[in-house]
């Protein structure tokens, strides 16, 4: 973890000694984790291992009981709730297991709504949404509502919503959990494509097979980080590329099936 | 070895983006679009309350408008003079020259008089004397219709030629009482112990309703045939519109200089207006009912919003994860509540206008709904929406994002 000589990229996410306690349950205990720009990693563990807690803390949806969290250069301990919201609006994209697509809302509007709190005007949100949907291979589904889409397509809409604003960090919580294996594989291929072009992706999963297929694997058990393949100095992400936004767009193009 | 934070990237201040007013409206409306049935029902509660209030105000305004138009047509410049009681308590009578004296007041345009006789009128000579049917026999001057605004519906009014002869004109109630349906040479009634020919029938007279139940005969005939004493019991006078109150002030002294206080002066149009005003109590009651309906509607909106917040925890969590601040969540639900009530308010105003128009057209009135009532109706619903939405909106904003996302 030396950062002086030849570290590949600046950290997007840093956790130092992060613990989270609910009542007297230690959901997370002393977690250290650094995610660098452009990485693709899996946080894997059985249910109850603290995955969700870790995700919430990484996504700034919850604050740790103790420890320090830095996201995209911001120490979240120093941010107010409003500032955290602004950070989520610009720097973090979320993908959920159950998609969270509102019924009756067209794919285009769902993705455009993902940019609502980023301050872009409506017309730009729509244009960006359309571009992003085309790049995840849903150009022919712009006007479709969730009930007209397959599970895999829904998750691709949700991914498009998460990455349309080119966030520094994409957090995917069990992205294949509600999908059959074929759709799941397609979704994972999409995430790989995003990563190949430089998007930083953290996949939270209980599926060891999926985790093993990713360049880096962080295993959680009972609220502790058991192993982190990055410590072995093995797999790392791509080198620093050009601007994050440009990389993300290229990633989306490549990810297109 | 532990990773120290790299020399902090010049930490730009994070500031949440402001939503444009249009985005606020769209976001607030999105929750309504997906639940049309519930929106309709809770807006209906508000609409009924507003419609009731708009209807009451509209109908009462329309009725006032109708009265105004009626008074415009009838004129508000008719004054009547009648003998009251003397200081001693006995019944007074107006001096014989009172009518002429009033006619001499400068702004007086016309003057006429009737005098109640002691005669009785019957359908025929076989009716028992006590069955008078409440019909008064009056001596009337020939210029009476012009002054009080009476209209003849059948036959003709008394003219100078027949005032000395046994001819009678019947008011509508009197005619109905006596079973007279048409006037003509062959139609006769038994009046003061002899037959009188019915030469004319009157339409109802709004400003002198006492004439509706009257049998009117010529002044000379009254004196000759039924023993009338010749004193006027009511003097009618029309004045220039601008001088009505001045004339009203001097009428008593003019009619009876010896005992001005024993003269009763009145303005029949005031009585007409006062009669309409007695409906105020009923209007108050209906307005109160409308207010209760509105309150119940407001509670319905609050209830809908509370349920909506509970149901949409996942949406709230998602929006928080997308970067919505607590304030933006609060604004969204407040806006939704306001839209919901405004929908009910506008619907209620339209419904109220419809009710007013329907009732007014049924009554043959002009339909009038004052602008202040419409604006007030919509304004009231907005206030209710804000009150009803406040608590649910605050609850939605307080929801921790993780808890909201965990909801299925």
């Amino acid at each position: 973890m030396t950062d002086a000589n030849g570290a590949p990229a600046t950290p997007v996410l840093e956790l130092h000694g992060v613990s989270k306690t609910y009542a007297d349950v230690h959901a997370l205990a002393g977690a250290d984790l650094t995610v660098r720009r452009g990485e693709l990693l899996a946080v894997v563990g059985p249910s109850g291992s603290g995955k969700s807690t870790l995700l919430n803390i990484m996504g700034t949806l919850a604050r740790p009981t103790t420890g320090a969290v830095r996201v995209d250069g911001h120490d979240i301990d120093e941010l107010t709730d409003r500032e955290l919201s602004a950070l989520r609006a610009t720097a973090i994209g979320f993908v959920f297991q159950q998609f969270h697509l509102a019924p009756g809302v067209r794919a285009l509007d769902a993705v455009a709504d993902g940019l609502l709190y980023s301050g872009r005007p409506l017309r730009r949100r729509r244009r960006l949404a359309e571009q992003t949907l085309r790049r995840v291979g849903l150009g022919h589904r712009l006007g479709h509502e969730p009930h007209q889409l397959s599970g895999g397509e829904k998750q691709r809409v949700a991914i498009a919503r998460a990455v349309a604003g080119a966030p520094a960090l994409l957090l995917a919580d069990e992205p294949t959990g509600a999908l059959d294996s074929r759709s799941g594989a397609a979704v994972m291929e999409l995430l790989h494509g995003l990563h190949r072009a430089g998007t930083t992706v953290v996949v939270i999963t209980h599926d060891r097979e999926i985790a093993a297929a990713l360049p880096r694997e962080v295993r959680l058990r009972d609220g502790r980080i058991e192993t982190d393949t990055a410590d072995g100095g093995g797999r790392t992400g791509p080198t620093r590329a050009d601007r994050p936004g440009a990389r993300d767009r290229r990633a989306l193009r490549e990810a297109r099936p | 070895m532990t990773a120290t934070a790299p020399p902090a990237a010049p930490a730009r201040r994070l500031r949440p983006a402001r939503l444009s007013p249009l985005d606020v409206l769209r976001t607030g409306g999105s929750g309504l679009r997906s639940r049309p049935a519930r929106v309709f029902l809770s807006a209906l509660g508000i609409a009924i309350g507003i419609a009731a209030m708009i209807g009451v105000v509209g109908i009462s305004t329309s009725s006032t408008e109708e009265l105004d138009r009626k008074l415009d047509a009838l004129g508000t410049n008719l004054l009547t003079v009648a003998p009251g009681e003397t200081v001693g308590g006995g019944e007074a009578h107006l001096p014989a020259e009172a009518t002429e004296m009033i006619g001499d007041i400068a702004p007086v345009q016309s003057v006429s008089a009737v005098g109640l006789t002691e005669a009785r009128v019957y359908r025929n000579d076989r009716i028992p004397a006590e069955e008078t049917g409440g019909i008064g026999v009056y001596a009337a001057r020939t210029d009476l219709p012009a002054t009080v605004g009476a209209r003849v519906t059948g036959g003709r009014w008394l003219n100078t030629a027949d005032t000395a002869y046994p001819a009678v004109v019947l008011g509508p109630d009197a005619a109905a009482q006596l079973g007279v349906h048409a006037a003509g040479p062959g139609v006769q009634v038994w009046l003061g112990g002899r037959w009188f020919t019915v030469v004319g029938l009157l339409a109802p007279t709004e400003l002198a309703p006492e004439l509706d139940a009257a049998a009117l005969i010529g002044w000379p005939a009254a004196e000759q045939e039924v023993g009338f004493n010749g004193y006027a019991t009511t003097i009618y006078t029309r004045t220039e519109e601008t001088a009505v109150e001045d004339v009203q002030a001097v009428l008593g002294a003019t009619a009876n200089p010896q005992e001005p206080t024993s003269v009763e002066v009145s303005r029949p149009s005031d009585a007409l207006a006062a009669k309409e005003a007695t409906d105020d109590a009923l209007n108050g009651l209906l307005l109160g009912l409308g207010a209760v309906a509105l309150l119940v509607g407001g509670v319905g909106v609050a209830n809908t919003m509370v349920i909506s917040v509970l149901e949409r925890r996942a949406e709230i969590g998602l929006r928080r994860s997308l970067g919505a601040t607590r304030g933006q969540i609060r604004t969204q639900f407040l806006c939704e509540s306001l839209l919901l009530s405004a929908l009910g308010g506008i619907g209620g105003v339209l419904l109220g206008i419809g009710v007013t128009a329907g009732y007014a057209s049924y009554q043959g009135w002009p339909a009038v709904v004052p602008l202040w009532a419409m604006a007030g109706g919509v304004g009231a619903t907005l206030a209710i929406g804000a009150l009803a939405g406040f608590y649910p909106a605050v609850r939605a904003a307080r929801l921790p994002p993780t808890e909201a996302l965990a909801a299925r």
Side-chain angles (χ1 to χ4, degrees):
Chain A
M1 289 285 277
T2 53
D3 48 357
N5 34 350
T10 52
V12 171
L13 175 72
E14 291 167 89
L15 271 57
H16 300 300
V18 166
S19 302
K20 182 71 175 177
T21 312
Y22 296 105
D24 45 357
V25 180
H26 297 282
L28 204 60
D32 291 305
L33 180 65
T34 300
V35 177
R36 293 178 183 279
R37 203 169 285 281
E39 272 198 276
L40 167 59
L41 67 138
V43 171
V44 63
S47 59
S49 61
K51 294 195 307 286
S52 300
T53 304
L54 186 58
L55 168 89
N56 289 338
I57 288 173
M58 289 192 293
T60 76
L61 294 170
R63 293 177 189 267
T65 312
T66 58
V69 179
R70 286 181 74 81
V71 176
D72 200 24
H74 296 275
D75 189 341
I76 76 153
D77 205 33
E78 290 169 4
L79 300 182
T80 63
D81 191 72
R82 277 170 60 78
E83 289 166 334
L84 277 187
S85 300
L87 180 65
R88 289 196 292 269
T90 53
I92 305 172
F94 289 89
V95 174
F96 303 100
Q97 177 177 356
Q98 62 278 15
F99 324 131
H100 281 311
L101 296 177
V105 177
R106 301 182 307 153
L108 181 70
D109 293 329
V111 176
D113 262 1
L115 299 166
L116 180 65
Y117 304 100
S118 70
R120 293 176 175 86
L122 178 61
R123 194 177 300 174
R124 268 195 67 203
R125 298 202 298 267
R126 287 239 169 92
R127 201 172 56 226
L128 216 48
E130 186 181 334
Q131 285 168 7
T132 314
L133 277 169
R134 289 193 191 288
R135 283 166 196 162
V136 300
L138 291 177
H140 58 302
R141 293 280 190 263
L142 298 180
H144 284 52
E145 294 177 7
H147 68 96
Q148 299 166 306
L149 298 171
S150 72
E153 285 173 330
K154 281 186 215 172
Q155 195 57 296
R156 268 145 70 193
V157 172
I159 291 172
R161 177 176 63 197
V163 301
L169 179 63
L170 176 62
L171 297 174
D173 182 15
E174 302 279 6
T176 61
L179 302 177
D180 61 63
S181 59
R182 256 191 71 198
S183 311
V187 162
M188 285 315 295
E189 184 43 46
L190 178 58
L191 293 175
H192 273 285
L194 291 167
H195 159 251
R196 274 197 294 278
T199 306
T200 313
V201 185
V202 178
V203 177
I204 291 91
T205 182
H206 68 277
D207 187 330
R208 308 194 85 165
E209 203 177 313
I210 287 175
L214 301 189
R216 178 180 168 194
E217 206 181 325
V218 175
R219 289 214 186 115
L220 271 183
R221 179 172 290 276
D222 300 330
R224 292 180 185 282
I225 293 179
E226 205 174 43
T227 53
D228 182 348
T229 57
D231 291 341
R235 303 172 264 181
T236 50
T239 49
R240 189 195 321 254
D242 37 354
R243 293 182 298 116
R247 282 182 321 196
D248 287 343
R249 276 190 270 285
R250 197 172 65 229
L252 286 162
R253 267 196 301 281
E254 285 174 14
R256 192 172 180 176
Chain B
M1 274 306 269
T2 51
T4 46
R12 54 189 198 285
R13 285 308 284 175
L14 288 164
R15 182 169 293 149
R18 283 183 69 89
L19 294 194
S20 73
L22 203 67
D23 280 334
V24 170
L25 271 181
R26 281 181 57 249
T27 315
S30 69
L32 299 182
R33 247 176 295 138
S34 51
R35 295 165 183 80
R38 191 189 296 172
V39 166
F40 174 77
L41 289 175
S42 39
L44 188 65
I46 292 269
I48 288 172
I50 289 291
M53 301 181 88
I54 294 280
V56 168
V57 172
I59 287 171
S60 126
T61 312
S62 298
S63 128
T64 307
E65 175 71 15
E66 164 69 7
L67 176 68
D68 287 350
R69 290 193 186 185
K70 198 195 271 178
L71 288 178
D72 265 0
L74 298 174
T76 54
N77 59 344
L78 181 72
L79 295 171
T80 63
V81 179
E85 291 185 350
T86 59
V87 179
E91 211 162 302
H93 61 74
L94 293 168
E97 61 282 6
T99 311
E100 271 175 70
M101 304 275 282
I102 289 168
D104 285 344
I105 303 174
V108 165
Q109 292 166 327
S110 67
V111 64
S112 187
V114 295
L116 182 60
T117 71
E118 283 169 5
R120 295 282 176 262
V121 58
Y122 305 96
R123 188 183 294 223
N124 54 51
D125 55 358
R126 291 183 299 277
I127 304 287
E130 59 271 20
E131 292 183 17
T132 61
I135 304 170
V137 175
Y138 290 86
R141 287 171 43 140
T142 51
D143 49 11
L144 183 70
T147 303
V148 299
R151 264 182 330 108
V152 174
T153 53
R156 57 174 176 76
W157 177 244
L158 301 166
N159 60 28
T160 41
D162 53 24
T163 50
Y165 297 95
V168 63
V169 171
L170 298 175
D173 296 346
Q177 192 78 41
L178 296 171
V180 174
H181 304 294
V187 185
Q188 292 189 314
V189 290
W190 186 251
L191 191 154
R194 59 159 301 167
W195 292 102
F196 271 63
T197 303
V198 178
V199 298
L201 299 175
L202 290 181
T205 308
E206 302 264 8
L207 288 181
E210 63 275 14
L211 297 182
D212 293 351
L216 300 153
I217 60 178
W219 206 276
E223 288 176 331
Q224 289 153 26
E225 306 289 343
V226 302
F228 172 49
N229 61 13
Y231 292 113
T233 52
T234 308
I235 299 173
Y236 301 94
T237 173
R238 289 270 182 187
T239 324
E240 283 171 25
E241 291 284 354
T242 51
V244 177
E245 273 157 33
D246 296 339
V247 172
Q248 191 169 4
V250 300
L251 269 182
T254 311
N256 192 348
Q258 272 80 49
E259 276 187 89
T261 52
S262 76
V263 177
E264 280 177 10
V265 177
S266 62
R267 191 173 179 180
S269 52
D270 287 352
L272 210 58
K275 199 175 74 190
E276 298 287 338
T278 53
D279 288 346
D280 276 358
L282 184 64
N283 281 351
L285 184 71
L286 288 172
L287 274 180
L289 281 176
V292 170
L294 200 56
L295 193 71
V296 172
V299 172
V301 168
N303 184 34
T304 303
M305 291 307 301
V306 168
I307 291 172
S308 185
V309 168
L310 286 177
E311 280 181 352
R312 286 157 65 191
R313 294 163 64 148
E315 179 197 327
I316 294 164
L318 174 74
R319 288 186 183 276
R320 293 285 274 142
S321 79
L322 289 173
T325 62
R326 286 198 190 116
Q328 281 164 338
I329 296 293
R330 199 163 48 228
T331 307
Q332 176 187 341
F333 281 91
L334 206 54
C335 176
E336 183 170 323
S337 173
L338 284 174
L339 281 174
L340 183 56
S341 327
L343 220 58
I346 292 166
V349 167
L350 293 179
L351 206 62
I353 291 174
V355 167
T356 304
Y359 188 77
S361 89
Y362 172 70
Q363 295 278 343
W365 296 345
V368 184
V369 178
L371 202 63
W372 65 261
M374 296 194 239
V378 174
T381 55
L382 288 181
I384 285 171
L387 278 175
F390 181 75
Y391 168 69
V394 166
R395 265 184 66 159
R398 288 224 183 112
L399 208 55
T402 50
E403 195 179 306
L405 277 171
R408 290 291 139 85

